[in-house]
Amino acid sequence: MDKVIVITGGGRGIGAATALLAAQQGFKVCINYQADEQAAHQVLEQVRALGVQAITVRADVSIEDEVIGLFQRVDSELGRVTALVNNAGTVGHKSRLDEMSEFRIQKIMKTNVMGPILCAKHAVLRMSPRHGGQGGSIVNVSSVAARLGSPGEYVDYAASKGALDTFTIGLSKEVAGEGIRVNAVRPGYIYTDFHALSGDADRVSKLESAIPMGRGGRPDEVAEAILWLLSDKASYTTGSFIDLGGGR
Ligand code: NAP
């Protein structure tokens, strides 16, 4: 059976590193993005240079119609999905709860909670034997913020990742008997563009002294854990979490 992977937010950061590693491991790759077409196309070229079939698909993961279109493109151009990485995520500027707008909180929840749930739904519709599938594997990209809470920074984001962790546990049990494994990674401070969204692009280097290992993480270090969880080497692992926080 061909290995077909969908990586949401695959054009940059952790998603891009995951796309490259997946290509090296022989997956056909779907790189989803929301806005940065140029970045997604750069990753597409790198992935195709490794000799694998790949596509980019623009879709906002928080809107079901767009998620349906994303999976239909994968069906017709790559084949039935066998692996999903729910990586797309966002965060707001560092602030206290009493300074946050309803719009901001809704955007965080829609992207970080609704998005992965909707994508998982449409993956399960293709992976589950109840729908003619042959199983598969899902990895959700959560955060150490889910257990630290991020007070004074972005409690809304931390809460969204807490919800994603609970979803990981519940769905893993729901589909465990159908050959579908569901796990999560929880990165700490990783060097990506993500921190510009919180208002400080240099955040990771400034906070390195607070990390027990004394450094921020690299996207490829997170990608390694994601690909392990997706692989047959993790065949008895479901409902599990790998923290990549340098000791945080
Ligand atoms: P990033 O470099 O900012 O990349 C985020 C990706 O998500 C981008 O490709 C973006 O698309 C995509 N995206 C955002 N909203 C989307 C939507 N509604 N629909 C589809 N795609 C959407 O961030 P990153 O650091 O790689 O983050 C990836 C994941 O890791 C996130 O879930 C984040 O919460 C988690 N994480 C990151 C860190 C860290 O320190 N970096 C730590 C813990 C957890 P465009 O390229 O089109 O904008």
Side-chain angles (χ1 to χ4, degrees):
M1 188 167 72
D2 280 346
K3 297 194 292 183
V4 178
I5 190 169
V6 174
I7 303 163
T8 67
R12 295 190 287 124
I14 293 167
T18 304
L20 288 174
L21 194 58
Q24 284 164 14
Q25 297 186 10
F27 280 92
K28 295 183 184 178
V29 182
C30 170
I31 301 154
N32 156 256
Y33 66 99
Q34 181 187 25
D36 195 337
E37 185 176 0
Q38 199 183 348
H41 276 264
Q42 277 173 6
V43 178
L44 180 72
E45 281 174 20
Q46 290 174 293
V47 163
R48 284 186 175 160
L50 291 165
V52 303
Q53 218 177 317
I55 57 171
T56 58
V57 182
R58 201 216 69 79
D60 180 339
V61 295
S62 68
I63 299 172
E64 186 165 24
D65 279 350
E66 297 195 16
V67 172
I68 290 169
L70 164 66
F71 280 89
Q72 285 175 343
R73 283 273 312 276
V74 174
D75 289 340
S76 61
E77 295 180 41
L78 298 179
R80 193 180 274 262
V81 64
T82 62
L84 167 67
V85 182
N86 271 319
N87 165 77
T90 195
V91 70
H93 266 224
K94 177 178 170 179
S95 44
R96 286 173 46 98
L97 175 64
D98 46 18
E99 296 163 343
M100 291 177 194
S101 68
E102 180 190 8
F103 175 80
R104 167 208 166 115
I105 297 167
Q106 287 219 5
K107 185 178 176 198
I108 302 290
M109 293 299 165
K110 281 190 72 179
T111 306
N112 297 359
V113 184
M114 282 287 284
I117 292 176
L118 290 172
C119 290
K121 170 186 166 183
H122 289 280
V124 167
L125 280 167
R126 288 157 174 84
M127 293 173 175
S128 172
R130 290 164 62 98
H131 306 287
Q134 296 183 332
S137 184
I138 297 171
V139 172
N140 296 321
V141 181
S142 175
S143 169
V144 295
R147 55 177 172 71
L148 298 176
S150 308
E153 293 187 302
Y154 26 68
V155 291
D156 54 346
Y157 171 80
S160 75
K161 295 300 190 180
L164 184 57
D165 285 3
T166 304
F167 174 67
T168 302
I169 293 166
L171 183 65
S172 70
K173 293 176 179 168
E174 189 167 299
V175 296
E178 297 164 29
I180 305 172
R181 294 182 302 101
V182 186
N183 293 288
V185 293
R186 286 193 293 222
Y189 295 129
I190 309 298
Y191 280 102
T192 71
D193 296 341
F194 194 70
H195 304 282
L197 296 170
S198 74
D200 185 358
D202 298 326
R203 191 157 174 273
V204 178
S205 46
K206 286 180 188 160
L207 292 171
E208 282 191 328
S209 61
I211 303 170
M213 284 179 72
R215 68 170 180 87
R218 299 187 312 271
D220 63 282
E221 293 177 305
V222 182
E224 287 286 354
I226 292 171
L227 266 297
W228 181 78
L229 285 169
L230 292 175
S231 77
D232 289 343
K233 291 177 184 165
S235 53
Y236 200 52
T237 304
T238 199
S240 291
F241 299 83
I242 297 181
D243 284 19
L244 300 120
R248 273 175 79 233

